[in-house]
Amino acid sequence: MGSVSHIFDAVRRDGRKNLLEPEAKEICRAYEIPVTDFKVAKEEAEAIKAAGDIGYPVVLKIVSPDVIHKSDIGAVVLNLKTAHEVGEAYRRILSNVVKVQPNARMLGVLVQEMAPASTEVIVGAIKDQQFGPSIMFGLGGILVEVLEDVAFRVAPVTMLEAEAMITEIKAYPVLTGYRNQPKLDTAAIAEVIVKTSKLVTDHQDIKELDLNPVMVYEDGVKTVDARIILE
Ligand code: ADP
Ligand code: MG
């Protein structure tokens, strides 16, 4: 995984520990974890060009090592359908960031494919002092935060263990076609868990990793936000 070490080296040379979302998504790609298609734009016209290349609708987000929770400060704009909307969102994001965090370094705006809304799950990893890299799985949103309905395993995690993690959360029926809900692709989630486990096992300098959220569909999954922090 040469490209992965390259990215980590560049981040450290830059004096950072937090990977930017596009860097974290490159790492995901190297491990064949599905992510939304994306491009970084440094000007409004570039963002519009990128949106056309990726295909509408798109999402715009700030790229800044100083902004951790992008949507909290109005730095994520979803479902943009025209070049005009992209231009507006580009300017709105920059002005929101300047308002709330005037000293934040702005490295550009991330233009990305808009993944259709669906059930959101979280795949995470932390480096435990005692057990080493450990993997976490839960549903996205308030369920994971309020109910602490999550499953943990020490890495490396096999496909069977990943499947067990998914079935053991209390919210599991949400994924399997509860009432009129569609049955979602839990095998694709298990694959993301296994690949994440491989990534943090191969690269023990990862302190924390969050794929939050991963959209889950009837066929396949897509990671729409990724965060990686190095030791
Ligand atoms: P934050 O830094 O606030 O976690 P996210 O990138 O996770 O920012 O965006 C906030 C929310 O917007 C996500 O939880 C997800 O619901 C939605 N979202 C973000 N990116 C996309 C995308 N490409 N397609 C669809 N929804 C998205
Ligand atoms: Mg997020």
Side-chain angles (χ1 to χ4, degrees):
M1 291 294 166
S3 64
V4 172
S5 303
H6 258 102
I7 293 173
F8 290 159
D9 290 346
V11 168
R12 289 197 196 281
R13 267 200 310 278
D14 202 27
R16 289 186 281 130
K17 287 188 176 142
N18 286 30
L19 273 70
L20 302 166
E21 181 178 331
E23 291 166 338
K25 282 186 170 168
E26 281 298 345
I27 305 276
C28 289
R29 272 186 180 160
Y31 277 79
E32 296 173 339
I33 295 167
V35 296
T36 43
D37 194 12
F38 65 87
K39 281 194 171 121
V40 178
K42 303 210 188 262
E43 285 173 37
E44 188 179 326
E46 222 184 303
I48 291 169
K49 165 88 170 58
D53 292 345
I54 290 167
Y56 289 95
V58 295
V59 173
L60 261 58
K61 305 181 190 180
I62 194 65
V63 180
S64 169
D66 305 309
V67 177
I68 308 295
H69 301 291
K70 301 174 291 285
S71 51
D72 289 359
I73 63 161
V76 175
V77 186
L78 303 175
N79 204 23
L80 302 164
K81 297 191 190 80
T82 63
H84 179 75
E85 287 180 7
V86 168
E88 257 179 13
Y90 186 96
R91 279 171 270 132
R92 183 154 27 115
I93 286 173
L94 296 193
S95 92
N96 285 345
V97 175
V98 169
K99 237 180 277 164
V100 186
Q101 286 183 239
N103 298 323
R105 287 163 288 176
M106 296 200 260
L107 306 183
V109 168
L110 188 64
V111 181
Q112 62 183 245
E113 168 195 355
M114 169 90 188
S118 190
T119 300
E120 299 186 0
V121 301
I122 300 173
V123 176
I126 54 151
K127 183 134 182 220
D128 187 89
Q129 295 274 348
Q130 198 180 346
F131 300 108
S134 306
I135 307 295
M136 185 274 268
F137 168 75
L139 283 204
I142 59 165
L143 283 170
V144 70
E145 283 168 27
V146 179
L147 304 178
E148 292 178 15
D149 183 19
V150 294
F152 276 99
R153 287 291 186 289
V154 173
V157 172
T158 64
M159 195 66 183
L160 272 179
E161 286 172 316
E163 280 161 359
M165 288 175 78
I166 297 166
T167 54
E168 78 189 35
I169 63 167
K170 294 188 206 84
Y172 176 60
V174 171
L175 300 170
T176 56
Y178 186 70
R179 299 262 169 104
N180 296 325
Q181 303 295 311
K183 185 180 173 343
L184 300 175
D185 194 344
T186 50
I189 305 174
E191 273 173 34
V192 171
I193 292 173
V194 169
K195 287 166 178 171
T196 301
S197 155
K198 173 143 178 47
L199 165 60
V200 296
T201 305
D202 289 351
H203 297 277
Q204 300 264 340
D205 47 347
I206 295 176
K207 182 168 172 245
E208 264 179 63
L209 173 151
D210 266 299
L211 310 181
N212 181 10
V214 179
M215 298 284 187
V216 188
Y217 303 105
E218 288 173 67
D219 185 12
V221 296
K222 202 151 250 188
T223 301
V224 305
D225 185 24
R227 211 165 58 98
I228 294 175
I229 302 173
L230 301 177
E231 288 195 308

